[in-house]
Amino acid sequence: MSDNSNSNNNNSIDHTKNVLVEKHISYVVNLDNKKEEDFEYWVTEHLRMNGMYWGLTSLYILKALDKMDRDVIINWVLSCQKSNGGFSGNVSHDEHLLSTLSAVQILMQLDALDRLDQDLVAKYVLSLQQEDGSFFGDKWGEVDTRFTYCAVSCLSLMGKLDLLDNNRIEKIADFINRCKNFDAGYGCIPGAESHAGQTFTCVGALAIINRLDLIDRDQLGWWLCERQLPNGGLNGRPEKTSDVCYSWWVVSALSVIDRLHWIDNEKLRNYILKCQDNETGGIADKPGNVPDVFHTFFGLCGFSLMSYFDMEEIDPTYALGTKTLLKYNIKLPWNKKL
Amino acid sequence: MELYQKLNSLIESNPNIKELGLIVSTKKFDGEEEKPFLMVENNLAVSFRFIPAIYRYCFETLNKLLISIGDDFRNYDGSSSNSQSQSTTINLSDDTILELNHLSRAILFVNAENITALNVRKKLLCLSNYTTAEQEIKLLNLVFTKHPKSGEAWCHRRWVLNHAPHAFNLELELVVCKRVGEIYPRNYYAWTHRWWALNRPNQLTCQNLIEDLNRVEKWVERNVSDHSAYHHRYLILVQLFKDHVVFGWTLNQVYEIWTNEMRFTDKYIHLYPAHESLWCHKRALYLYWNKEIIITVTTSDDICNIMKRSSQIEYCNQIIQDKDTSYYDDQVRFTNVYLKWINSSSSSDSSSSNFLNK
């Protein structure tokens, strides 16, 4: 895609007040043209599955999913599946739960879940569950609440959550609960400091297994509110600087526990707007920085969750379009509009 | 290819490399023509523009090699290194092992998040004696000088120490956590790892906890805004309370260390106004005390007065009256947040939750 002639004219749009829809679309569509001579290409190459998910979902939010070559992507995703059912971050990498969830999300988004041997994927996910209710990220045994989220989300998206009996669900809930701190936030393992990113994964996992009752909504709401800084942006822990990615982690968690109105939505919107790159399109972590697909996705999610700019609605738990999820008959009890 | 060999010979001939870095150009350092590598006093610098070529060569060569070795190695999970079936099917020549070792090492220097390269190294540790767990830990120390925030490298480190428990040395782990914290402050991985290390078998002793509490006190003095450090102190204090019987401590000793911590925090809030981390720490101390410890306190224990709600409110009022302090507005904002928390812990008053929106 080359629309340089257009983009020059578009620089007249004030990006601190408007969302640069066309530029973001072309930014995401052109991501795949990174060159193999570039440093950037090689240090992100192992993350391509996640990157593809972030890019596609950005386009979904921008109502431009049709700009991507569906068949090429589906075939590439499927080529990353290993014999044990797990997916890798790129063709020549090892499988991991993080990339497995992204693969399932991509296929769902492209309405191609039927191309997948879902039983095999479920078997892989279940093989990583531990006695104490935690999940390994891959066969090498690291434990993290992020992996718990990936596991339950993956199973639920494939309609296979019932493969976990009540006893196992109970253990999962128990493990997450052990990662809760006095401030009602969550860490990556028991004892670890509360972190907004980990908090999202725990809240999301509890929502999926229908155990939101374990969350102290008011206290957690407070802690999440304290993440908003005077500049409107959000941080992930006390005295860290603001970063656009928390427009997803914090805002989604607040949405699930129905406390989104506790932060100043307008100030956050203005902060995200300032992080847009008026030349290249895309959104950066902080105003003036170089954009990337990760922050572009999370910034757009922020707009969507706060219902700004007529974006396509994204679900705060599954991080997929609400319409996509409804098509697959997935229940979204936290969504008050339904 | 040539660059890769040069890198290998540099590493092999300098076994004590301390630090790894990327530099824009080597010219700045020695004024000579552009070179890919530079060794200055045991620090290895790689010139930025040569990186993609080296990385690409190493990764593509590694992948070709993995394909030629076959799926048994790719799928190997380390669990059955002694079983018949594995040891007979995976038979690597010394040359192959050396090559896998060097390629994966070079990859990690550039990108420590490459899990495939990290996994190759795990498999080598299981299948061969090309290197020891101690050497692998040393390599990771070097990798951290360039990639302190690599979650995957930290994860690999824990795997190595689980795989070879004899390579675990609490002292060394605490040192690496500190050093990495200096390179990248408020490092979540490093502090999580630190608590993990203390929780290894037989490490959670009273002496280890007290020593670490003292070490982190020095850290906090120089890093007032590092909330992770306070959280670590909090974890230690909670452990000292929970295990005080095992440690042979009296409750009074517990009260003393907890109230000292509160006094320390109060002092620092005065010295360094408007640091959210200090206020969060204060809140953690207050909430835990009033939830778990207070039930052990008898009325005659004057020592615990500072932990009472009335004392805390009095302290907050002093702060609010101290209008000459620097950053007064922020200091008052944090004071009010703190007051809200300690009030909400005695009555669940959710109607006032909207305070931050003002």
Side-chain angles (χ1 to χ4, degrees):
Chain A
M1 268 191 56
S2 94
D3 55 278
N4 286 342
S5 53
N6 279 336
S7 57
N8 284 339
N9 298 334
N10 287 349
N11 270 353
S12 56
I13 300 178
D14 180 358
H15 74 278
T16 63
K17 294 197 172 61
N18 301 284
V19 62
L20 310 169
V21 174
E22 291 309 316
K23 282 193 177 174
H24 295 326
I25 292 173
S26 91
Y27 172 79
V28 173
V29 170
N30 286 312
L31 279 171
D32 239 15
N33 302 339
K34 262 188 222 157
K35 296 200 183 70
E36 295 187 358
E37 289 80 43
D38 288 351
F39 180 71
E40 201 50 37
Y41 174 87
W42 288 107
V43 291
T44 55
E45 170 275 341
H46 64 288
L47 276 176
R48 187 156 190 260
M49 190 65 79
N50 301 293
M52 184 64 79
Y53 158 74
W54 294 324
L56 279 181
T57 315
S58 298
L59 291 177
Y60 172 90
I61 296 172
L62 296 165
K63 304 178 184 179
L65 201 51
D66 57 341
K67 301 267 189 218
M68 299 295 275
D69 191 332
R70 182 174 176 271
D71 291 339
V72 170
I73 295 170
I74 294 171
N75 288 331
W76 172 77
V77 169
L78 293 173
S79 76
C80 292
Q81 192 174 26
K82 308 293 165 188
S83 53
N84 65 359
F87 283 83
S88 50
N90 206 338
V91 183
S92 52
H93 279 280
D94 289 352
E95 72 281 1
H96 198 283
L97 208 42
L98 291 168
S99 30
T100 302
L101 173 62
S102 288
V104 170
Q105 286 171 316
I106 293 169
L107 293 175
M108 199 155 173
Q109 189 128 258
L110 297 177
D111 204 9
L113 215 44
D114 55 333
R115 297 276 303 275
L116 186 63
D117 182 347
Q118 297 175 43
D119 291 329
L120 192 62
V121 179
K123 202 176 138 201
Y124 172 71
V125 173
L126 291 174
S127 74
L128 296 169
Q129 197 191 0
Q130 302 308 302
E131 250 326 290
D132 65 355
S134 66
F135 280 85
F136 286 173
D138 63 12
K139 63 191 174 195
W140 299 106
E142 179 79 352
V143 165
D144 190 308
T145 45
R146 285 181 302 155
F147 309 147
T148 301
Y149 170 78
C150 289
V152 296
S153 176
C154 205
L155 291 173
S156 179
L157 289 173
M158 298 189 300
K160 293 187 182 299
L161 202 57
D162 54 5
L163 290 174
L164 296 167
D165 59 29
N166 285 343
N167 182 35
R168 281 182 164 219
I169 293 279
E170 199 49 45
K171 282 187 166 166
I172 291 173
D174 185 54
F175 179 77
I176 297 173
N177 221 24
R178 286 174 52 215
C179 298
K180 180 156 85 169
N181 288 307
F182 80 93
D183 53 22
Y186 296 83
C188 59
I189 50 171
E193 182 190 3
S194 293
H195 184 294
Q198 304 289 347
T199 297
F200 155 75
T201 64
C202 292
V203 170
L206 290 173
I208 292 169
I209 61 171
N210 202 20
R211 289 305 309 271
L212 285 174
D213 61 289
L214 290 172
I215 295 174
D216 187 335
R217 290 181 186 228
D218 284 342
Q219 203 137 323
L220 178 59
W222 282 27
W223 185 80
L224 289 167
C225 282
E226 287 173 38
R227 307 279 60 78
Q228 189 162 35
L229 299 176
N231 69 5
L234 301 163
N235 65 13
R237 292 180 281 146
E239 289 199 73
K240 299 278 284 183
T241 55
S242 54
D243 183 315
V244 160
C245 72
Y246 296 105
S247 317
W248 168 257
W249 310 118
V250 172
V251 173
S252 61
L254 283 170
S255 301
V256 174
I257 61 170
D258 195 22
R259 299 288 183 275
L260 183 53
H261 54 288
W262 284 14
I263 58 165
D264 189 328
N265 285 220
E266 207 162 307
K267 272 181 98 172
L268 175 58
R269 180 199 62 189
N270 293 341
Y271 178 80
I272 304 172
L273 284 172
K274 277 186 221 150
C275 294
Q276 297 182 103
D277 190 312
N278 207 339
E279 277 173 37
T280 61
I283 302 175
D285 59 344
K286 298 175 188 7
N289 283 0
V290 179
D292 59 65
V293 66
F294 177 82
H295 292 94
T296 302
F297 169 59
F298 289 136
L300 294 172
C301 282
F303 293 146
S304 171
L305 288 171
M306 295 186 291
S307 309
Y308 286 117
F309 306 118
D310 189 33
M311 303 262 160
E312 204 61 73
E313 187 182 315
I314 186 124
D315 180 73
T317 291
Y318 290 106
L320 281 171
T322 303
K323 284 181 193 161
T324 309
L325 294 161
L326 291 178
K327 203 158 65 187
Y328 281 87
N329 293 317
I330 290 176
K331 293 193 180 71
L332 310 171
W334 44 84
N335 189 327
K336 288 197 157 173
K337 290 181 222 159
L338 298 177
Chain B
M1 175 74 182
E2 205 181 297
L3 288 172
Y4 165 64
Q5 280 163 352
K6 209 167 183 178
L7 176 65
N8 280 337
S9 71
L10 263 175
I11 298 167
E12 297 303 321
S13 57
N14 295 278
N16 291 317
I17 299 177
K18 273 191 296 197
E19 200 176 322
L20 197 64
L22 292 187
I23 53 175
V24 178
S25 162
T26 59
K27 274 190 200 168
K28 267 191 230 159
F29 290 85
D30 58 8
E32 292 172 30
E33 61 179 311
E34 183 80 10
K35 285 183 295 195
F37 307 109
L38 191 70
M39 285 289 300
V40 183
E41 292 167 5
N42 278 336
N43 298 321
L44 171 65
V46 185
S47 183
F48 188 77
R49 71 184 182 91
F50 294 96
I51 294 271
I54 300 174
Y55 189 81
R56 181 179 184 174
Y57 172 80
C58 292
F59 190 55
E60 288 178 350
T61 311
L62 177 71
N63 280 320
K64 277 184 217 142
L65 194 55
L66 288 175
I67 290 167
S68 75
I69 295 170
D71 280 350
D72 286 340
F73 185 74
R74 176 70 90 173
N75 297 331
Y76 175 56
D77 64 3
S79 62
S80 48
S81 55
N82 297 321
S83 87
Q84 291 289 319
S85 58
Q86 289 284 359
S87 55
T88 47
T89 47
I90 303 175
N91 210 339
L92 305 174
S93 72
D94 287 351
D95 283 351
T96 308
I97 289 173
L98 192 73
E99 192 71 356
L100 288 170
N101 179 9
H102 287 175
L103 288 166
S104 58
R105 179 178 66 189
I107 288 169
L108 297 187
F109 283 175
V110 180
N111 179 9
E113 295 280 298
N114 188 320
I115 65 164
T116 307
L118 288 165
N119 292 347
V120 163
R121 301 194 66 78
K122 293 186 184 80
K123 294 171 195 175
L124 289 181
L125 274 164
C126 292
L127 289 169
S128 74
N129 46 10
Y130 82 96
T131 181
T132 63
E134 284 83 356
Q135 283 171 311
E136 190 71 359
I137 291 298
K138 208 174 144 190
L139 174 74
L140 283 171
N141 291 346
L142 180 59
V143 168
F144 282 144
T145 63
K146 174 70 190 76
H147 307 283
K149 266 184 87 182
S150 171
E152 295 299 344
W154 283 104
C155 166
H156 182 64
R157 188 180 187 99
R158 284 187 285 274
W159 181 88
V160 172
L161 296 172
N162 275 325
H163 169 74
H166 60 84
F168 179 84
N169 177 323
L170 182 65
E171 207 63 36
L172 290 180
E173 293 310 297
L174 298 179
V175 167
V176 78
C177 290
K178 176 169 177 277
R179 222 179 35 217
V180 172
E182 282 161 355
I183 301 168
Y184 189 92
R186 301 172 229 175
N187 188 318
Y188 191 76
Y189 296 111
W191 286 101
T192 307
H193 187 83
R194 191 178 190 116
W195 185 242
W196 175 88
L198 278 169
N199 277 276
R200 295 267 78 198
N202 308 321
Q203 303 300 325
L204 217 49
T205 63
C206 187
Q207 192 193 342
N208 282 345
L209 289 171
I210 294 291
E211 279 177 12
D212 207 36
L213 198 64
N214 291 333
R215 265 188 229 106
V216 177
E217 182 163 339
K218 291 198 188 78
W219 174 266
V220 167
E221 284 166 4
R222 281 175 291 116
N223 300 272
V224 187
S225 59
D226 191 342
H227 181 261
S228 304
Y230 300 106
H231 180 72
H232 188 77
R233 293 182 68 78
Y234 165 80
L235 291 173
I236 291 176
L237 291 166
V238 167
Q239 202 67 41
L240 286 170
F241 166 65
K242 281 185 177 166
D243 284 350
H244 72 274
V245 178
V246 184
F247 294 156
W249 273 33
T250 63
L251 274 169
N252 265 332
Q253 283 176 287
V254 175
Y255 301 156
E256 196 183 331
I257 204 160
W258 271 77
T259 50
N260 279 343
E261 185 74 1
M262 187 60 108
R263 264 185 286 274
F264 167 84
T265 309
D266 287 353
K267 185 178 95 185
Y268 268 63
I269 286 175
H270 267 297
L271 282 173
Y272 304 100
H275 276 287
E276 188 183 13
S277 300
L278 283 162
W279 285 102
C280 288
H281 186 49
K282 191 170 168 58
R283 170 161 104 194
L285 296 172
Y286 177 85
L287 292 180
Y288 189 84
W289 176 281
N290 282 286
K291 191 165 165 252
E292 307 288 345
I293 303 183
I294 197 167
I295 40 181
T296 67
V297 179
T298 56
T299 43
S300 60
D301 290 323
D302 280 355
I303 183 178
C304 304
N305 278 347
I306 189 175
M307 305 305 278
K308 284 186 182 155
R309 190 152 157 262
S310 53
S311 312
Q312 289 301 308
I313 290 172
E314 197 185 310
Y315 174 83
C316 289
N317 286 335
Q318 282 171 18
I319 294 284
I320 291 170
Q321 279 154 25
D322 181 16
K323 293 196 172 156
D324 295 332
T325 186
S326 41
Y327 309 108
Y328 176 74
D329 289 347
D330 285 338
Q331 179 86 319
V332 169
R333 184 162 60 93
F334 291 128
T335 312
N336 283 328
V337 172
Y338 177 72
L339 285 169
K340 289 282 181 190
W341 275 86
I342 68 170
N343 286 331
S344 81
S345 70
S346 49
S347 68
S348 41
D349 170 20
S350 59
S351 60
S352 55
S353 309
N354 214 2
F355 64 95
L356 282 164
N357 266 345
K358 282 185 295 189

